[in-house]
């Protein structure tokens, strides 16, 4: 298991991966420690990831080529797979994700699974907003969510008082 940390979008990010792929990518030091208790720091092992994030931040990359290996329940993984189908620059509601899974009644479970997404930005949980168009939670912080949505948007948005 290897890890690195770096600055991007005004925050410190941590990436953890092994031979299967990226296990964690986020800005929570506590979550990082859960995924990498015995990992070895190796910034050279993350050249692709850091390069693609830099290009994403600059608005010149809309699809990541990372090898992903998130750990979670089967339901969580199914939600994360749906997130990966949300196109760049498009937002869905939590209900939209539940409908894509085949059961609109699972909207709360969807919200919980999104909140446990271990690979932010690349598995684009930031593209999920409230049905009312407002921002409702983001493990990276709502300011970061607004930055990500602004990078992907071609127009100005007002995300309401949640900002």
């Amino acid at each position: 298991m290897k890890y690195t940390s770096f600055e991007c979008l005004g925050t410190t990010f941590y990436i953890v991966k092994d031979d299967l792929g990226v296990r964690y990518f986020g800005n929570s030091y506590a979550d990082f420690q859960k995924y990498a208790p015995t990992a070895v720091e190796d910034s050279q092992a993350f050249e692709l990831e850091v390069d693609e994030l830099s290009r994403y931040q600059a608005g010149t990359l809309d699809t990541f080529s990372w090898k992903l290996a998130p750990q979670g329940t089967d339901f969580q993984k199914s939600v994360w797979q749906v997130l990966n189908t949300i196109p760049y620059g498009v937002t869905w509601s939590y209900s939209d994700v539940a409908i894509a899974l085949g059961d609109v009644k699972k909207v709360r479970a969807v919200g919980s699974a999104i909140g446990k997404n271990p690979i932010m930005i690349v598995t684009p949980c930031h593209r999920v907003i409230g049905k009312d168009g407002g921002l409702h939670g983001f493990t990276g912080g709502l300011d970061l969510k607004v930055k990500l949505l602004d990078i992907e948007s071609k127009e100005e948005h007002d995300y309401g008082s949640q900002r």
Side-chain angles (χ1 to χ4, degrees), residues 29-45:
Y29 185 73
D31 287 345
F32 155 70
Q33 288 184 312
K34 291 177 198 172
Y35 283 91
T38 61
V40 176
E41 186 170 13
D42 183 355
S43 60
Q44 291 180 340

Side-chain angles (χ1 to χ4, degrees), residues 142-158:
L142 291 181
D143 288 343
L144 178 58
K145 185 169 186 162
V146 169
K147 286 180 188 177
L148 298 171
L149 293 172
D150 285 347
I151 286 170
E152 296 186 15
S153 178
K154 300 199 182 336
E155 17 179 283
E156 292 277 325
H157 291 281
D158 178 11

Side-chain angles (χ1 to χ4, degrees), residues 2-70:
K2 298 174 184 179
Y3 80 90
T4 194
S5 63
F6 62 97
E7 296 292 320
C8 184
L9 296 162
T11 191
T12 300
F13 283 102
Y14 306 91
I15 306 177
V16 178
K17 72 178 176 181
D18 59 16
D19 292 340
L20 296 176
V22 173
R23 298 292 184 160
Y24 175 76
F25 169 59
N27 64 349
S28 166
Y29 185 73
D31 287 345
F32 155 70
Q33 288 184 312
K34 291 177 198 172
Y35 283 91
T38 61
V40 176
E41 186 170 13
D42 183 355
S43 60
Q44 291 180 340
F46 295 90
E47 289 177 0
L48 168 75
E49 291 86 355
V50 172
D51 173 65
E52 287 191 356
L53 283 165
S54 296
R55 292 191 294 139
Y56 171 84
Q57 178 180 343
T60 60
L61 179 83
D62 61 9
T63 304
F64 292 91
S65 64
W66 300 16
K67 185 177 172 185
L68 304 179

